[in-house]
Amino acid sequence: MTTPAPSVVGKLQALVRIPTVSDRDRDRVDHEAFDRLLVELARQFPRLHAELELTRVGSHGLLFRWAGADDSRPVVLMAHLDVVPVEDGWTRPAFDAVVADGFVWGRGTLDDKGCVVGICEAVETLLARGFTPAQDVWLSFGCDEEVMGTSAQEAVEVLRARGVSPWFVLDEGGAVAHGAFPGVSTPIAVIGVTEKGVTSVELRAEGHGGHASTPARMGPTARIARAVMRLERSPFRSSLPAPTVELMRRMAPHAPPALRPLMANAARISPVLARALVLAGPESAAMTRTTAAVTTLSGSPALNVIAATAKAGVNIRIMVGDSVAGVLAHVRKAVGDEHVHLDVIESGEPSPISPFREDAAFSLLEGTIGEVFADAVASPYVMMAATDSRHFTAICERVYRFAPFRMTKAQRESIHAADERIGVDDLADGVRWYATLIERIR
């Protein structure tokens, strides 16, 4: 069994201290920070850079090939180098990578530089032993995942051009989740076998504007406010797709006695269970249905001016079984106002469901989880966020999403928020998990 080097925490700190914040507007991106990150990555992982074949992808994306004994069933391990911006509320500076209370604190520790370091450290350690994987192993590190960028798509095109058809792809996503379900104390190692589609729309109302002293009834801001509330009162239908049914079945033995029959018979009573999950809280409710979150609002530029145009941005995560067309129809019907225009900013369908029953690749992930996280129950699930791996479904039918780190509910809630942090011991376990996975590939 491979033991991670003591310096792995320092390697993560070095990467977290470089603020590689991505932005949809490329002119606002600090490209020099990304340049520094690539230099630092090569400094921290010299064997990987010396012995693996590297292809640059996009502005700062990286695609490594580690030649194996065979190339008939190549594997792709993924992570991304960019992070989201920092908001207020941090206990410790977001880019200082402070080690305190058993954690490394900082933006990107969980999303997703922890995975970058975990993968690279595992490869570096195995290379030092002279290990050769049984199959080609590709490392794909995107640079614009947080802004739905194109580097992952470009990596897919490089692989397609080279005739590479991966046996399976593994990206960030699920985790060894503690406190994931009410009443279940056993950690659940959730492996995303699909992910929700991401669609963003803007609700827009227009009027004549004017002086705030003479407001007219139902101006643009009032229409948008009413549209937002109508949408809030019109949730999407709930359902339990196959991965969620399987998740319930596997959690059942570890649930409170009153819930065990419900969860064990999820397939038979899915409508009842879906309603129960909706009532259990936002995290479990999102497991059952398409969600729509109003994230941006805009109106007048001044307090004494009536808005000529008012807008509300809505981020929609589309559940497996729903579609972009169906979701847009639902929003239009819910808003019910011909004066509120619906502008589609971006759209994406849910990803296909990857095999998880009696499948060798999924069993490999399960077995590796069992070896490193013996107390956890491994299970498929529907990932609610979006990852770069969705693009790899074009060349691979087995696309999985799992970050091999223990995460409490508070840690999961810190992703894209304040006080993001990873446990020092958990980082070491993650390195061991990636190394074990690579060793087990056949």
Side-chain angles (χ1 to χ4, degrees), residues 42 247 329 371 400:
L247 172 63
E371 184 166 340
Y400 302 110

Side-chain angles (χ1 to χ4, degrees), residues 203-250:
L203 305 178
R204 173 173 51 86
E206 298 181 345
H208 299 295
H211 199 284
S213 62
T214 56
R217 185 176 178 277
M218 289 309 296
T221 52
R223 287 193 181 278
I224 289 299
R226 186 175 68 176
V228 167
M229 292 310 301
R230 284 178 173 176
L231 186 58
E232 177 82 8
R233 291 192 295 264
S234 303
F236 292 83
R237 66 179 182 87
S238 60
S239 64
L240 292 187
T244 306
V245 170
E246 182 65 13
L247 172 63
M248 294 295 109
R249 188 187 71 79
R250 295 191 185 200

Side-chain angles (χ1 to χ4, degrees), residues 271-318:
V272 175
L273 187 54
R275 288 195 292 272
L277 287 171
V278 168
L279 297 174
E283 193 172 26
S284 58
M287 292 168 55
T288 73
R289 64 188 181 190
T290 295
T291 59
V294 177
T295 52
T296 61
L297 292 167
S298 64
S300 169
L303 284 172
N304 61 347
V305 175
I306 294 172
T309 302
K311 297 178 181 179
V314 186
N315 185 257
I316 304 171
R317 302 300 171 116
I318 304 178

Side-chain angles (χ1 to χ4, degrees), residues 63-401:
L63 183 63
F64 292 95
R65 174 179 175 257
W66 187 6
D70 190 10
D71 64 358
S72 60
R73 296 204 304 175
V75 170
V76 180
L77 303 180
M78 299 180 63
H80 62 87
L81 306 171
D82 60 319
V83 299
V84 296
V86 170
E87 303 291 345
D88 294 335
W90 283 75
T91 304
R92 296 167 176 86
F95 292 113
D96 280 11
V98 171
V99 177
D101 302 326
F103 295 92
V104 184
W105 300 71
R107 174 61 81 227
T109 49
L110 294 176
D111 185 19
D112 188 33
K113 291 176 180 178
C115 284
V116 172
V117 170
I119 293 169
C120 290
E121 182 71 0
V123 172
E124 190 87 355
T125 305
L126 292 172
L127 286 171
R129 283 176 30 198
F131 177 82
T132 299
Q135 300 288 336
D136 279 7
V137 176
W138 293 80
L139 313 180
S140 180
F141 300 146
C143 60
D144 50 13
E145 190 268 356
E146 296 292 5
V147 292
M148 313 288 281
T150 61
S151 63
Q153 293 167 277
E154 293 176 56
V156 168
E157 291 310 312
V158 170
L159 294 175
R160 195 200 303 270
R162 296 184 61 164
V164 177
S165 298
W167 175 36
F168 73 86
V169 173
L170 180 70
D171 198 2
E172 62 166 337
V176 183
H178 292 249
F181 191 82
V184 177
S185 59
T186 302
I188 310 298
V190 286
I191 305 166
V193 295
T194 180
E195 63 183 54
K196 288 183 168 183
V198 179
T199 292
S200 295
V201 302
E202 202 166 60
L203 305 178
R204 173 173 51 86
E206 298 181 345
H208 299 295
H211 199 284
S213 62
T214 56
R217 185 176 178 277
M218 289 309 296
T221 52
R223 287 193 181 278
I224 289 299
R226 186 175 68 176
V228 167
M229 292 310 301
R230 284 178 173 176
L231 186 58
E232 177 82 8
R233 291 192 295 264
S234 303
F236 292 83
R237 66 179 182 87
S238 60
S239 64
L240 292 187
T244 306
V245 170
E246 182 65 13
L247 172 63
M248 294 295 109
R249 188 187 71 79
R250 295 191 185 200
M251 285 197 301
H254 309 278
L259 293 179
R260 287 175 194 169
L262 280 174
M263 297 169 71
N265 295 287
R268 187 165 55 85
I269 59 168
S270 61
V272 175
L273 187 54
R275 288 195 292 272
L277 287 171
V278 168
L279 297 174
E283 193 172 26
S284 58
M287 292 168 55
T288 73
R289 64 188 181 190
T290 295
T291 59
V294 177
T295 52
T296 61
L297 292 167
S298 64
S300 169
L303 284 172
N304 61 347
V305 175
I306 294 172
T309 302
K311 297 178 181 179
V314 186
N315 185 257
I316 304 171
R317 302 300 171 116
I318 304 178
M319 174 57 80
V320 177
D322 290 347
S323 66
V324 172
V327 162
L328 296 181
H330 175 100
V331 173
R332 289 189 180 97
K333 182 177 179 181
V335 170
D337 186 344
E338 63 180 3
H339 298 290
V340 174
H341 306 280
L342 181 62
D343 301 320
V344 179
I345 309 302
E346 60 188 2
S347 66
E349 302 286 357
S351 296
I353 298 177
S354 297
F356 60 88
R357 293 192 178 96
E358 299 180 358
D359 182 83
F362 190 84
S363 295
L364 173 61
L365 299 178
E366 284 184 293
T368 308
I369 288 169
E371 184 166 340
V372 178
F373 305 103
D375 60 331
V377 175
S379 177
Y381 91 121
V382 176
M383 186 177 167
M384 290 168 278
T387 69
D388 272 345
S389 69
R390 70 191 183 281
H391 300 297
F392 283 73
T393 61
I395 59 171
C396 181
E397 68 171 333
R398 293 176 178 84
V399 177
Y400 302 110
R401 304 147 182 93

